[in-house]
Amino acid sequence: MTLNIGVIGTGAIGREHIRRCSQVLQNSRVVALNDIDRRQCEEVAAALQLQAEIYDSAHDLINAPDVQAVLVTSWGPTHEEFVLAAIKAGKAVFCEKPLAVTAQGCMNIVEAEMAGGKKRVQVGFMRPYDSGYRALKQVLESGEIGAPLMLHCAHRNPEVGDSYTTDMAITDTLIHELDVLRWLLNDDYVSAQVIWPRKTRHASSHLKDPQIVLLETAQGTRIDVEIFVNCQYGYDIQCEVVGESGIARLPEPVAVQTRSNAALSVAILTDWKKRFIDAYDVELQAFINNVLADELTGPSAWDGYAAAVAADACVAAQKSGDIVQITMPPRPAFYQ
Ligand code: NAP
């Protein structure tokens, strides 16, 4: 069986996912494209030699009879509208993060999905599909290091453009930690605080960089995440779990160690696309398989909502300097 996919948004990640679904993964083909810029769809279709229909309206693509599943990879503020339309059309939808730009927008999707009585939404949180995070979770669940007490994490990018703002450090960058750490610990956040080290001279005048987000979970685990988006040296993701009887660290990406010129070295990645390239493949293959099996199991609309609630609290904490409480409603049975 082959899943016919329609893609809305043919920008950076859209093109990557179109290439995956048409050339790398199994049992899928891209049959429909839409972007606000039609020429972009034509370019992508030509570059990848796709036999795909190009739609001027995202809603016409969603409702096209031959489109069985929809990938939403357009600009964040459009996600809610397109995901709600896919649910209404009874189609499975993979939506890149954020599910919606507000927690209320995510809740609208949760409510629509529950009203339809069937899980149709997977959110593009790919880190739970990364082999390193999966191995780390296995160690935690084995009990080898006891209960997790503290997590020390870092999310570092070499540099960001001038349009990157201080709150985007939460909504675009930390959002991945907000999702994956909740999944790793099987726990929810109860408070957030943001503290500010000395600012780097490499950040633009309007950007506060680096910043440290302090989170507390319902079970009492304390998490610090350093977000440093002009670190210069590489794209570097760190996660160390301190347990009652040991420490577990996220493995480094595989890289050859060299001895030359009187130095022992290992290269550090600089491109975020390469750091999680396998995880993107695994997450989308899982989506395709699950849609064909008629049972979605990946990051859900509820997970998108939970990350958005925590992100809102972190942005409020950035602004106030206070410890901000995070209140999550109980998880509905639909998402257990
Ligand atoms: P991008 O390069 O700007 O691509 C977005 C595309 O959507 C652009 O071609 C844009 O057209 C188009 N678009 C905007 N409004 C539209 C509409 N109403 N209908 C149809 N198309 C529309 O951005 P990106 O980097 O690919 O990011 C897209 C989404 O993926 C974002 O939500 C981002 O947060 C997410 N993302 C996730 C990851 C991850 O690691 N999971 C990584 C990267 C991005 P114009 O350029 O003409 O506006």
Side-chain angles (χ1 to χ4, degrees):
M1 252 200 305
T2 301
L3 186 70
N4 288 340
I5 296 177
V7 181
I8 303 172
T10 54
I13 195 107
R15 284 168 193 232
E16 283 282 306
H17 287 345
I18 293 164
R19 179 190 58 77
R20 277 192 179 89
C21 293
S22 54
Q23 296 186 345
V24 180
L25 306 181
Q26 293 187 334
N27 303 327
S28 69
R29 74 177 146 236
V30 175
V31 296
L33 298 174
N34 161 263
D35 193 281
I36 207 157
D37 180 356
R38 186 185 172 91
R39 270 177 320 158
Q40 241 180 237
C41 296
E42 289 164 355
E43 277 167 31
V44 175
L48 296 173
Q49 297 178 320
L50 289 181
Q51 301 293 321
E53 176 100 25
I54 297 174
Y55 288 84
D56 288 325
S57 151
H59 289 274
D60 288 348
L61 175 146
I62 291 166
N63 290 304
D66 65 331
V67 169
Q68 295 170 288
V70 180
L71 252 60
V72 178
T73 51
S74 49
W75 190 44
T78 63
H79 291 183
E80 182 184 348
E81 175 191 336
F82 297 148
V83 173
L84 286 172
I87 293 171
K88 194 168 167 210
K91 302 217 171 149
V93 52
F94 176 95
C95 179
E96 261 310 334
K97 59 87 186 161
L99 179 59
V101 288
T102 62
Q104 183 55 53
C106 295
M107 184 45 89
N108 295 341
I109 291 170
V110 162
E111 285 171 351
E113 191 178 37
M114 286 200 297
K118 183 169 180 173
K119 277 198 199 159
R120 300 197 191 276
V121 181
Q122 177 169 330
V123 183
F125 286 131
M126 73 297 183
R127 289 203 197 171
Y129 294 97
D130 173 64
S131 56
Y133 276 108
R134 285 186 167 200
L136 184 57
K137 187 169 171 71
Q138 240 174 21
V139 169
L140 296 190
E141 290 182 348
S142 74
E144 186 184 336
I145 65 162
L149 309 176
M150 294 174 275
L151 270 66
H152 307 301
C153 309
H155 190 145
R156 305 190 187 111
N157 293 60
E159 58 186 2
V160 289
D162 255 8
S163 58
Y164 189 98
T165 54
T166 300
D167 61 338
M168 284 168 73
I170 306 294
T171 55
D172 265 39
T173 302
L174 181 78
I175 195 83
H176 285 293
E177 270 77 17
L178 289 175
D179 175 68
V180 78
L181 301 181
R182 218 181 127 252
W183 167 84
L184 191 66
L185 296 172
N186 200 18
D187 205 350
D188 270 314
Y189 308 114
V190 294
S191 77
Q193 184 185 8
V194 179
I195 56 174
W196 310 95
R198 176 178 169 178
K199 179 178 161 166
T200 168
R201 67 191 162 88
H202 296 293
S204 55
S205 57
H206 60 81
L207 176 64
K208 289 167 108 175
D209 183 43
Q211 47 190 292
I212 299 170
V213 178
L214 304 174
L215 297 159
E216 184 185 4
T217 72
Q219 308 257 18
T221 305
R222 294 284 185 162
I223 303 169
D224 55 87
V225 187
E226 170 203 314
I227 309 163
F228 187 11
V229 293
N230 287 285
C231 78
Q232 308 295 296
Y233 72 85
Y235 181 72
D236 194 7
I237 302 299
Q238 299 289 327
C239 180
E240 179 182 89
V241 183
V242 180
E244 290 168 303
S245 52
I247 288 174
R249 281 189 75 93
L250 183 69
E252 295 287 345
V254 174
V256 173
Q257 200 185 61
T258 58
R259 285 172 161 79
S260 71
N261 295 322
L264 176 62
S265 340
V266 181
I268 295 175
L269 291 172
T270 53
D271 182 353
W272 59 266
K273 284 193 225 76
K274 293 196 179 144
R275 174 65 179 84
F276 290 110
I277 193 159
D278 295 337
Y280 290 122
D281 287 350
V282 179
E283 77 167 344
L284 271 173
Q285 188 67 65
F287 174 73
I288 292 160
N289 296 349
N290 289 341
V291 176
L292 289 172
D294 205 20
E295 192 184 4
L296 287 191
T297 58
S300 65
W302 185 257
D303 295 318
Y305 170 70
V309 169
D312 283 357
C314 293
V315 172
Q318 279 183 325
K319 290 185 176 142
S320 67
D322 295 336
I323 298 173
V324 174
Q325 301 307 311
I326 302 175
T327 312
M328 274 290 289
R331 184 194 289 257
F334 185 85
Y335 291 105
Q336 295 298 348

